[in-house]
Amino acid sequence: MEFDLPKTAAVFVVVIALGVGGLLAAPMMGMSTVLMMVAPSMIAFGLLMLALGVKHGEYRAAGR
């Protein structure tokens, strides 16, 4: 399966939504804490790891 921008964005949003939804459903933290602190950090970390993964894939595809 080849990932293009729409598929990658959809999977990214689904993974973040599942994580945030799970934290909201669990009685660990308040909703404001999850939405104002946890969700933005999940998005930032996810984007960083996505960029790192894309660069690693480019490196592997180059056959170095």
Side-chain angles (χ1 to χ4, degrees), residues 31-57:
M31 184 179 359
S32 63
T33 303
V34 172
L35 295 179
M36 291 174 38
M37 296 177 70
V38 177
S41 64
M42 288 175 72
I43 292 168
F45 183 74
L47 289 173
L48 180 66
M49 292 300 104
L50 179 63
L52 185 64
V54 167
K55 288 300 178 186
H56 180 65

